[in-house]
Amino acid sequence: GAGVSQSPSNKVTEKGKDVELRCDPISGHTALYWYRQSLGQGLEFLIYFQGNSAPDKSGLPSDRFSAERTGGSVSTLTIQRTQQEDSAVYLCASSFDRYTEAFFGQGTRLTVV
Amino acid sequence: AQKVTQAQTEISVVEKEDVTLDCVYETRDTTYYLFWYKQPPSGELVFLIRRNSFDEQNEISGRYSWNFQKSTSSFNFTITASQVVDSAVYFCALSDDGGSNYKLTFGKGTLLTVNP
């Protein structure tokens, strides 16, 4: 596709379950980012990938959060043992490199009940 | 620590009015970049502009203009002759990692509603 694609667009899960959020970046983009948007905290950086490596994971809020990227393309953000405070919109973005314009997906709205 | 403040939570204007969105930032670094993004109801963030700390010239792009003043640590955004399609949440952001995109500190956003 032409843009950054995220799936699912909406996810409702029960507290304590694991969830996986997927991001398909724009083809050829080596840099990929995950951000979280919540009412209380606004937009927060989670993790940055350059290729398949994650030089900066400092924004991941706890060890329940992990992410990987394979083939320099698709990335998956996994949240284990979800908590209600994990409810937010998770945004993925990609760019040709970390210095060029970043294009964002439409996000995955996660609701933990 | 970095901080971006967008004091205006919501602004409502009538079409064709000019509107200015305020952004004040804090950073200890002398080299940094400032950004504005638009978030329409569809949810994705749309890049509008990036400006580095060494370039204080104002920028104009069509109906959009940006005023960067280091003396007041502000990077304000003006929409001239607003249109209904300008309705969105606008975010100001700061990066001090040599202009990279990966670790942006965002403001809380300003919801702009342009009424016909």
Side-chain angles (χ1 to χ4, degrees), chain A residues 33 35 37 40-43 45 48 56 58 91 95 97-106, chain B residues 37 39 42-47 50 89 91 97-108:
Chain A
Y33 325 87
Y35 282 83
Q37 185 173 22
Q41 301 299 320
L43 274 155
F45 164 80
Y48 154 62
D56 192 338
S58 63
L91 291 164
S95 60
D97 60 44
R98 70 187 228 187
Y99 299 107
T100 53
E101 177 184 347
F103 294 85
F104 280 79
Q106 293 185 331
Chain B
Y37 281 87
Q39 187 175 41
S42 53
E44 78 279 14
L45 286 168
V46 178
F47 169 87
R50 180 177 71 178
V89 181
F91 291 94
D97 183 56
S100 74
N101 294 301
Y102 88 86
K103 205 163 189 175
L104 299 177
T105 298
F106 285 87
K108 296 291 188 185

Side-chain angles (χ1 to χ4, degrees), chain B residues 17-78:
Chain B
E17 283 186 27
D18 298 348
V19 57
T20 295
L21 309 181
D22 297 333
C23 173
V24 174
Y25 62 92
E26 295 177 27
T27 178
R28 295 180 186 172
D29 294 289
T30 56
T31 302
Y32 52 89
Y33 280 73
L34 295 161
F35 301 75
W36 275 95
Y37 281 87
K38 174 182 179 180
Q39 187 175 41
S42 53
E44 78 279 14
L45 286 168
V46 178
F47 169 87
L48 296 178
I49 190 171
R50 180 177 71 178
R51 173 53 53 90
N52 74 56
S53 54
F54 298 109
D55 183 2
E56 288 193 70
Q57 285 193 351
N58 290 337
E59 175 103 7
I60 297 174
S61 176
R63 296 184 296 106
Y64 295 170
S65 62
W66 291 269
N67 180 266
F68 176 30
Q69 294 198 350
K70 288 178 76 170
S71 60
T72 55
S73 297
S74 65
F75 186 45
N76 296 336
F77 173 33
T78 297

Side-chain angles (χ1 to χ4, degrees), chain A residues 1 12 21 27 39 51 68 79 87 98 109-110:
Chain A
V12 180
L21 312 181
S27 178
L39 281 176
E68 65 173 12
I79 309 173
S87 296
R98 70 187 228 187
R109 181 176 296 279
L110 175 67

Side-chain angles (χ1 to χ4, degrees), chain A residues 9-71:
Chain A
S9 54
N10 280 285
K11 176 73 176 178
V12 180
T13 189
E14 292 181 355
K15 180 181 172 181
K17 300 279 191 184
D18 297 352
V19 294
E20 285 189 351
L21 312 181
R22 177 187 169 103
C23 173
D24 279 281
I26 293 172
S27 178
H29 281 193
T30 64
L32 185 146
Y33 325 87
W34 284 97
Y35 282 83
R36 179 169 72 172
Q37 185 173 22
S38 59
L39 281 176
Q41 301 299 320
L43 274 155
E44 305 171 281
F45 164 80
L46 297 179
I47 188 169
Y48 154 62
F49 285 94
Q50 180 57 48
N52 293 333
S53 302
D56 192 338
K57 308 177 184 180
S58 63
L60 294 177
S62 76
D63 58 9
R64 296 186 295 104
F65 287 72
S66 63
E68 65 173 12
R69 189 179 184 193
T70 55

